Amino acid sequence: MPVTCGVLESLQGWLMSRTPQMQREEVLRIKLEQLRLEHRDLDDAVQALHDQGRADVLTLQRLKRQELALKDKIRRIEDDLTPDIIA
């Protein structure tokens, strides 16, 4: 896992310990940024393997499945953060 994600996890833990009443939305925003970074890192890894010609089909499929799972988590958190609008 990249150093950047570890920093975000540390920041999230620090914020939670410093402010027990931290709003749920703030925690979700930190988690969202962490997931976006993980998704970007996976995308870069897939592209690098593809560019180097060292990627086998199973590895690419596994990485792409992980990317899709992260994208689903990102969308769920974005939906949680977006207020429902009653038309």
Side-chain angles (χ1 to χ4, degrees):
M1 192 178 331
V3 173
T4 312
C5 290
V7 170
L8 283 174
E9 288 174 348
S10 296
L11 176 63
Q12 183 179 3
W14 179 80
L15 287 171
M16 289 302 290
S17 68
R18 300 274 302 163
T19 55
Q21 300 301 322
M22 183 179 199
Q23 301 236 348
R24 179 179 176 268
E25 183 176 311
E26 294 174 82
V27 173
L28 287 176
R29 288 189 191 285
I30 291 170
K31 184 66 175 173
L32 182 61
E33 186 59 31
Q34 176 187 1
L35 292 173
R36 285 178 175 156
L37 288 172
E38 288 180 37
H39 184 271
R40 190 176 318 133
D41 289 343
L42 268 177
D43 192 46
D44 291 344
V46 167
Q47 189 61 46
L49 286 172
H50 187 268
D51 291 346
Q52 294 172 0
R54 295 183 354 192
D56 62 273
V57 175
L58 291 177
T59 301
L60 284 176
Q61 286 177 345
R62 183 178 54 80
L63 291 173
K64 288 182 179 185
R65 265 193 302 257
Q66 288 177 353
E67 272 187 292
L68 287 173
L70 284 172
K71 201 173 226 180
D72 287 343
K73 290 178 184 179
I74 289 168
R75 295 290 177 243
R76 273 188 245 122
I77 292 175
E78 287 173 340
D79 287 347
D80 285 348
L81 290 172
T82 305
D84 292 334
I85 299 173
I86 300 173

PDB file of all heavy atoms in Angstrom, residues 35-59:
ATOM      1  N   LEU A  35      -9.836   6.043  -0.445  1.00  0.00           N
ATOM      2  CA  LEU A  35     -10.265   5.099  -1.487  1.00  0.00           C
ATOM      3  C   LEU A  35      -9.919   5.608  -2.876  1.00  0.00           C
ATOM      4  O   LEU A  35      -9.529   4.831  -3.749  1.00  0.00           O
ATOM      5  CB  LEU A  35     -11.770   4.843  -1.375  1.00  0.00           C
ATOM      6  CG  LEU A  35     -12.215   4.067  -0.137  1.00  0.00           C
ATOM      7  CD1 LEU A  35     -13.738   4.024  -0.062  1.00  0.00           C
ATOM      8  CD2 LEU A  35     -11.628   2.666  -0.135  1.00  0.00           C
ATOM      9  N   ARG A  36     -10.049   6.905  -3.093  1.00  0.00           N
ATOM     10  CA  ARG A  36      -9.681   7.485  -4.403  1.00  0.00           C
ATOM     11  C   ARG A  36      -8.194   7.289  -4.682  1.00  0.00           C
ATOM     12  O   ARG A  36      -7.807   6.981  -5.810  1.00  0.00           O
ATOM     13  CB  ARG A  36     -10.046   8.958  -4.448  1.00  0.00           C
ATOM     14  CG  ARG A  36     -11.525   9.199  -4.610  1.00  0.00           C
ATOM     15  CD  ARG A  36     -11.848  10.668  -4.612  1.00  0.00           C
ATOM     16  NE  ARG A  36     -13.256  10.885  -4.879  1.00  0.00           N
ATOM     17  CZ  ARG A  36     -13.910  11.975  -4.509  1.00  0.00           C
ATOM     18  NH1 ARG A  36     -13.285  12.955  -3.876  1.00  0.00           N
ATOM     19  NH2 ARG A  36     -15.195  12.103  -4.786  1.00  0.00           N
ATOM     20  N   LEU A  37      -7.358   7.479  -3.660  1.00  0.00           N
ATOM     21  CA  LEU A  37      -5.920   7.267  -3.843  1.00  0.00           C
ATOM     22  C   LEU A  37      -5.615   5.801  -4.134  1.00  0.00           C
ATOM     23  O   LEU A  37      -4.795   5.498  -5.006  1.00  0.00           O
ATOM     24  CB  LEU A  37      -5.162   7.720  -2.594  1.00  0.00           C
ATOM     25  CG  LEU A  37      -5.084   9.222  -2.369  1.00  0.00           C
ATOM     26  CD1 LEU A  37      -4.484   9.526  -0.999  1.00  0.00           C
ATOM     27  CD2 LEU A  37      -4.266   9.889  -3.459  1.00  0.00           C
ATOM     28  N   GLU A  38      -6.253   4.898  -3.423  1.00  0.00           N
ATOM     29  CA  GLU A  38      -6.056   3.466  -3.667  1.00  0.00           C
ATOM     30  C   GLU A  38      -6.479   3.108  -5.088  1.00  0.00           C
ATOM     31  O   GLU A  38      -5.789   2.341  -5.776  1.00  0.00           O
ATOM     32  CB  GLU A  38      -6.838   2.631  -2.661  1.00  0.00           C
ATOM     33  CG  GLU A  38      -6.263   2.649  -1.270  1.00  0.00           C
ATOM     34  CD  GLU A  38      -7.068   1.803  -0.298  1.00  0.00           C
ATOM     35  OE1 GLU A  38      -7.564   0.728  -0.703  1.00  0.00           O
ATOM     36  OE2 GLU A  38      -7.206   2.209   0.860  1.00  0.00           O
ATOM     37  N   HIS A  39      -7.600   3.662  -5.540  1.00  0.00           N
ATOM     38  CA  HIS A  39      -8.089   3.391  -6.893  1.00  0.00           C
ATOM     39  C   HIS A  39      -7.094   3.910  -7.926  1.00  0.00           C
ATOM     40  O   HIS A  39      -6.776   3.234  -8.909  1.00  0.00           O
ATOM     41  CB  HIS A  39      -9.465   4.033  -7.093  1.00  0.00           C
ATOM     42  CG  HIS A  39     -10.072   3.726  -8.423  1.00  0.00           C
ATOM     43  ND1 HIS A  39      -9.855   4.509  -9.532  1.00  0.00           N
ATOM     44  CD2 HIS A  39     -10.869   2.715  -8.833  1.00  0.00           C
ATOM     45  CE1 HIS A  39     -10.499   3.996 -10.556  1.00  0.00           C
ATOM     46  NE2 HIS A  39     -11.123   2.899 -10.158  1.00  0.00           N
ATOM     47  N   ARG A  40      -6.580   5.109  -7.701  1.00  0.00           N
ATOM     48  CA  ARG A  40      -5.605   5.704  -8.624  1.00  0.00           C
ATOM     49  C   ARG A  40      -4.335   4.860  -8.677  1.00  0.00           C
ATOM     50  O   ARG A  40      -3.778   4.618  -9.749  1.00  0.00           O
ATOM     51  CB  ARG A  40      -5.279   7.128  -8.182  1.00  0.00           C
ATOM     52  CG  ARG A  40      -4.468   7.909  -9.188  1.00  0.00           C
ATOM     53  CD  ARG A  40      -4.248   9.349  -8.779  1.00  0.00           C
ATOM     54  NE  ARG A  40      -5.450   9.943  -8.218  1.00  0.00           N
ATOM     55  CZ  ARG A  40      -5.475  10.657  -7.098  1.00  0.00           C
ATOM     56  NH1 ARG A  40      -4.382  10.898  -6.427  1.00  0.00           N
ATOM     57  NH2 ARG A  40      -6.606  11.164  -6.645  1.00  0.00           N
ATOM     58  N   ASP A  41      -3.888   4.366  -7.511  1.00  0.00           N
ATOM     59  CA  ASP A  41      -2.696   3.518  -7.463  1.00  0.00           C
ATOM     60  C   ASP A  41      -2.912   2.209  -8.222  1.00  0.00           C
ATOM     61  O   ASP A  41      -2.022   1.752  -8.940  1.00  0.00           O
ATOM     62  CB  ASP A  41      -2.303   3.216  -6.019  1.00  0.00           C
ATOM     63  CG  ASP A  41      -1.733   4.426  -5.298  1.00  0.00           C
ATOM     64  OD1 ASP A  41      -1.336   5.402  -5.971  1.00  0.00           O
ATOM     65  OD2 ASP A  41      -1.711   4.403  -4.051  1.00  0.00           O
ATOM     66  N   LEU A  42      -4.076   1.617  -8.054  1.00  0.00           N
ATOM     67  CA  LEU A  42      -4.381   0.383  -8.793  1.00  0.00           C
ATOM     68  C   LEU A  42      -4.420   0.644 -10.293  1.00  0.00           C
ATOM     69  O   LEU A  42      -3.910  -0.150 -11.086  1.00  0.00           O
ATOM     70  CB  LEU A  42      -5.731  -0.189  -8.345  1.00  0.00           C
ATOM     71  CG  LEU A  42      -5.705  -1.197  -7.223  1.00  0.00           C
ATOM     72  CD1 LEU A  42      -7.115  -1.618  -6.857  1.00  0.00           C
ATOM     73  CD2 LEU A  42      -4.883  -2.414  -7.580  1.00  0.00           C
ATOM     74  N   ASP A  43      -5.018   1.747 -10.679  1.00  0.00           N
ATOM     75  CA  ASP A  43      -5.092   2.103 -12.092  1.00  0.00           C
ATOM     76  C   ASP A  43      -3.682   2.277 -12.669  1.00  0.00           C
ATOM     77  O   ASP A  43      -3.383   1.795 -13.765  1.00  0.00           O
ATOM     78  CB  ASP A  43      -5.909   3.387 -12.266  1.00  0.00           C
ATOM     79  CG  ASP A  43      -6.272   3.642 -13.707  1.00  0.00           C
ATOM     80  OD1 ASP A  43      -6.729   2.694 -14.390  1.00  0.00           O
ATOM     81  OD2 ASP A  43      -6.105   4.791 -14.165  1.00  0.00           O
ATOM     82  N   ASP A  44      -2.811   2.943 -11.908  1.00  0.00           N
ATOM     83  CA  ASP A  44      -1.422   3.116 -12.345  1.00  0.00           C
ATOM     84  C   ASP A  44      -0.706   1.777 -12.463  1.00  0.00           C
ATOM     85  O   ASP A  44       0.066   1.550 -13.399  1.00  0.00           O
ATOM     86  CB  ASP A  44      -0.664   4.025 -11.370  1.00  0.00           C
ATOM     87  CG  ASP A  44      -1.129   5.476 -11.421  1.00  0.00           C
ATOM     88  OD1 ASP A  44      -1.821   5.864 -12.393  1.00  0.00           O
ATOM     89  OD2 ASP A  44      -0.804   6.217 -10.464  1.00  0.00           O
ATOM     90  N   ALA A  45      -0.964   0.866 -11.523  1.00  0.00           N
ATOM     91  CA  ALA A  45      -0.332  -0.453 -11.554  1.00  0.00           C
ATOM     92  C   ALA A  45      -0.783  -1.242 -12.782  1.00  0.00           C
ATOM     93  O   ALA A  45       0.032  -1.867 -13.464  1.00  0.00           O
ATOM     94  CB  ALA A  45      -0.656  -1.231 -10.283  1.00  0.00           C
ATOM     95  N   VAL A  46      -2.068  -1.196 -13.076  1.00  0.00           N
ATOM     96  CA  VAL A  46      -2.592  -1.900 -14.258  1.00  0.00           C
ATOM     97  C   VAL A  46      -1.960  -1.330 -15.514  1.00  0.00           C
ATOM     98  O   VAL A  46      -1.513  -2.079 -16.392  1.00  0.00           O
ATOM     99  CB  VAL A  46      -4.143  -1.778 -14.324  1.00  0.00           C
ATOM    100  CG1 VAL A  46      -4.669  -2.227 -15.683  1.00  0.00           C
ATOM    101  CG2 VAL A  46      -4.782  -2.590 -13.213  1.00  0.00           C
ATOM    102  N   GLN A  47      -1.891  -0.017 -15.594  1.00  0.00           N
ATOM    103  CA  GLN A  47      -1.315   0.624 -16.780  1.00  0.00           C
ATOM    104  C   GLN A  47       0.165   0.281 -16.928  1.00  0.00           C
ATOM    105  O   GLN A  47       0.634  -0.007 -18.025  1.00  0.00           O
ATOM    106  CB  GLN A  47      -1.500   2.144 -16.699  1.00  0.00           C
ATOM    107  CG  GLN A  47      -1.139   2.866 -17.981  1.00  0.00           C
ATOM    108  CD  GLN A  47      -2.004   2.413 -19.140  1.00  0.00           C
ATOM    109  OE1 GLN A  47      -3.210   2.301 -19.036  1.00  0.00           O
ATOM    110  NE2 GLN A  47      -1.380   2.145 -20.267  1.00  0.00           N
ATOM    111  N   ALA A  48       0.894   0.275 -15.818  1.00  0.00           N
ATOM    112  CA  ALA A  48       2.324  -0.048 -15.861  1.00  0.00           C
ATOM    113  C   ALA A  48       2.547  -1.484 -16.319  1.00  0.00           C
ATOM    114  O   ALA A  48       3.419  -1.747 -17.153  1.00  0.00           O
ATOM    115  CB  ALA A  48       2.953   0.182 -14.493  1.00  0.00           C
ATOM    116  N   LEU A  49       1.770  -2.418 -15.785  1.00  0.00           N
ATOM    117  CA  LEU A  49       1.893  -3.813 -16.208  1.00  0.00           C
ATOM    118  C   LEU A  49       1.581  -3.959 -17.694  1.00  0.00           C
ATOM    119  O   LEU A  49       2.262  -4.679 -18.417  1.00  0.00           O
ATOM    120  CB  LEU A  49       0.967  -4.705 -15.386  1.00  0.00           C
ATOM    121  CG  LEU A  49       1.391  -4.990 -13.955  1.00  0.00           C
ATOM    122  CD1 LEU A  49       0.281  -5.725 -13.210  1.00  0.00           C
ATOM    123  CD2 LEU A  49       2.680  -5.799 -13.931  1.00  0.00           C
ATOM    124  N   HIS A  50       0.562  -3.270 -18.119  1.00  0.00           N
ATOM    125  CA  HIS A  50       0.160  -3.335 -19.526  1.00  0.00           C
ATOM    126  C   HIS A  50       1.243  -2.734 -20.423  1.00  0.00           C
ATOM    127  O   HIS A  50       1.610  -3.313 -21.450  1.00  0.00           O
ATOM    128  CB  HIS A  50      -1.165  -2.604 -19.729  1.00  0.00           C
ATOM    129  CG  HIS A  50      -1.710  -2.775 -21.095  1.00  0.00           C
ATOM    130  ND1 HIS A  50      -1.441  -1.901 -22.113  1.00  0.00           N
ATOM    131  CD2 HIS A  50      -2.513  -3.736 -21.624  1.00  0.00           C
ATOM    132  CE1 HIS A  50      -2.045  -2.297 -23.207  1.00  0.00           C
ATOM    133  NE2 HIS A  50      -2.705  -3.417 -22.941  1.00  0.00           N
ATOM    134  N   ASP A  51       1.790  -1.593 -20.044  1.00  0.00           N
ATOM    135  CA  ASP A  51       2.821  -0.922 -20.840  1.00  0.00           C
ATOM    136  C   ASP A  51       4.106  -1.732 -20.935  1.00  0.00           C
ATOM    137  O   ASP A  51       4.780  -1.724 -21.963  1.00  0.00           O
ATOM    138  CB  ASP A  51       3.138   0.463 -20.254  1.00  0.00           C
ATOM    139  CG  ASP A  51       1.995   1.453 -20.429  1.00  0.00           C
ATOM    140  OD1 ASP A  51       1.064   1.165 -21.219  1.00  0.00           O
ATOM    141  OD2 ASP A  51       2.033   2.520 -19.772  1.00  0.00           O
ATOM    142  N   GLN A  52       4.445  -2.427 -19.850  1.00  0.00           N
ATOM    143  CA  GLN A  52       5.672  -3.230 -19.825  1.00  0.00           C
ATOM    144  C   GLN A  52       5.498  -4.577 -20.524  1.00  0.00           C
ATOM    145  O   GLN A  52       6.461  -5.279 -20.745  1.00  0.00           O
ATOM    146  CB  GLN A  52       6.123  -3.461 -18.385  1.00  0.00           C
ATOM    147  CG  GLN A  52       6.546  -2.198 -17.679  1.00  0.00           C
ATOM    148  CD  GLN A  52       6.809  -2.441 -16.205  1.00  0.00           C
ATOM    149  OE1 GLN A  52       6.672  -3.551 -15.703  1.00  0.00           O
ATOM    150  NE2 GLN A  52       7.184  -1.383 -15.501  1.00  0.00           N
ATOM    151  N   GLY A  53       4.247  -4.917 -20.821  1.00  0.00           N
ATOM    152  CA  GLY A  53       3.982  -6.190 -21.463  1.00  0.00           C
ATOM    153  C   GLY A  53       4.188  -7.377 -20.533  1.00  0.00           C
ATOM    154  O   GLY A  53       4.337  -8.506 -20.999  1.00  0.00           O
ATOM    155  N   ARG A  54       4.195  -7.137 -19.232  1.00  0.00           N
ATOM    156  CA  ARG A  54       4.428  -8.201 -18.254  1.00  0.00           C
ATOM    157  C   ARG A  54       3.141  -8.675 -17.598  1.00  0.00           C
ATOM    158  O   ARG A  54       3.179  -9.442 -16.647  1.00  0.00           O
ATOM    159  CB  ARG A  54       5.378  -7.717 -17.166  1.00  0.00           C
ATOM    160  CG  ARG A  54       6.747  -7.406 -17.671  1.00  0.00           C
ATOM    161  CD  ARG A  54       7.705  -7.009 -16.597  1.00  0.00           C
ATOM    162  NE  ARG A  54       7.101  -6.868 -15.287  1.00  0.00           N
ATOM    163  CZ  ARG A  54       7.701  -6.322 -14.273  1.00  0.00           C
ATOM    164  NH1 ARG A  54       8.906  -5.848 -14.396  1.00  0.00           N
ATOM    165  NH2 ARG A  54       7.104  -6.219 -13.092  1.00  0.00           N
ATOM    166  N   ALA A  55       2.033  -8.246 -18.073  1.00  0.00           N
ATOM    167  CA  ALA A  55       0.777  -8.568 -17.398  1.00  0.00           C
ATOM    168  C   ALA A  55       0.152  -9.820 -17.983  1.00  0.00           C
ATOM    169  O   ALA A  55      -0.049  -9.918 -19.187  1.00  0.00           O
ATOM    170  CB  ALA A  55      -0.183  -7.401 -17.528  1.00  0.00           C
ATOM    171  N   ASP A  56      -0.150 -10.776 -17.112  1.00  0.00           N
ATOM    172  CA  ASP A  56      -0.924 -11.920 -17.571  1.00  0.00           C
ATOM    173  C   ASP A  56      -2.403 -11.595 -17.355  1.00  0.00           C
ATOM    174  O   ASP A  56      -2.758 -10.713 -16.571  1.00  0.00           O
ATOM    175  CB  ASP A  56      -0.505 -13.201 -16.834  1.00  0.00           C
ATOM    176  CG  ASP A  56      -0.755 -13.113 -15.347  1.00  0.00           C
ATOM    177  OD1 ASP A  56       0.142 -12.614 -14.631  1.00  0.00           O
ATOM    178  OD2 ASP A  56      -1.838 -13.539 -14.918  1.00  0.00           O
ATOM    179  N   VAL A  57      -3.247 -12.305 -18.047  1.00  0.00           N
ATOM    180  CA  VAL A  57      -4.676 -12.019 -18.042  1.00  0.00           C
ATOM    181  C   VAL A  57      -5.275 -12.121 -16.641  1.00  0.00           C
ATOM    182  O   VAL A  57      -6.064 -11.268 -16.237  1.00  0.00           O
ATOM    183  CB  VAL A  57      -5.412 -12.967 -19.023  1.00  0.00           C
ATOM    184  CG1 VAL A  57      -6.908 -12.765 -18.955  1.00  0.00           C
ATOM    185  CG2 VAL A  57      -4.910 -12.752 -20.441  1.00  0.00           C
ATOM    186  N   LEU A  58      -4.899 -13.136 -15.884  1.00  0.00           N
ATOM    187  CA  LEU A  58      -5.461 -13.331 -14.544  1.00  0.00           C
ATOM    188  C   LEU A  58      -5.089 -12.184 -13.600  1.00  0.00           C
ATOM    189  O   LEU A  58      -5.926 -11.718 -12.819  1.00  0.00           O
ATOM    190  CB  LEU A  58      -4.998 -14.667 -13.951  1.00  0.00           C
ATOM    191  CG  LEU A  58      -5.562 -15.914 -14.635  1.00  0.00           C
ATOM    192  CD1 LEU A  58      -4.966 -17.169 -14.010  1.00  0.00           C
ATOM    193  CD2 LEU A  58      -7.075 -15.933 -14.536  1.00  0.00           C
ATOM    194  N   THR A  59      -3.859 -11.731 -13.672  1.00  0.00           N
ATOM    195  CA  THR A  59      -3.433 -10.618 -12.817  1.00  0.00           C
ATOM    196  C   THR A  59      -4.206  -9.354 -13.161  1.00  0.00           C
ATOM    197  O   THR A  59      -4.686  -8.647 -12.272  1.00  0.00           O
ATOM    198  CB  THR A  59      -1.914 -10.373 -12.965  1.00  0.00           C
ATOM    199  OG1 THR A  59      -1.214 -11.557 -12.604  1.00  0.00           O
ATOM    200  CG2 THR A  59      -1.463  -9.214 -12.089  1.00  0.00           C
TER     201      THR A  59
END
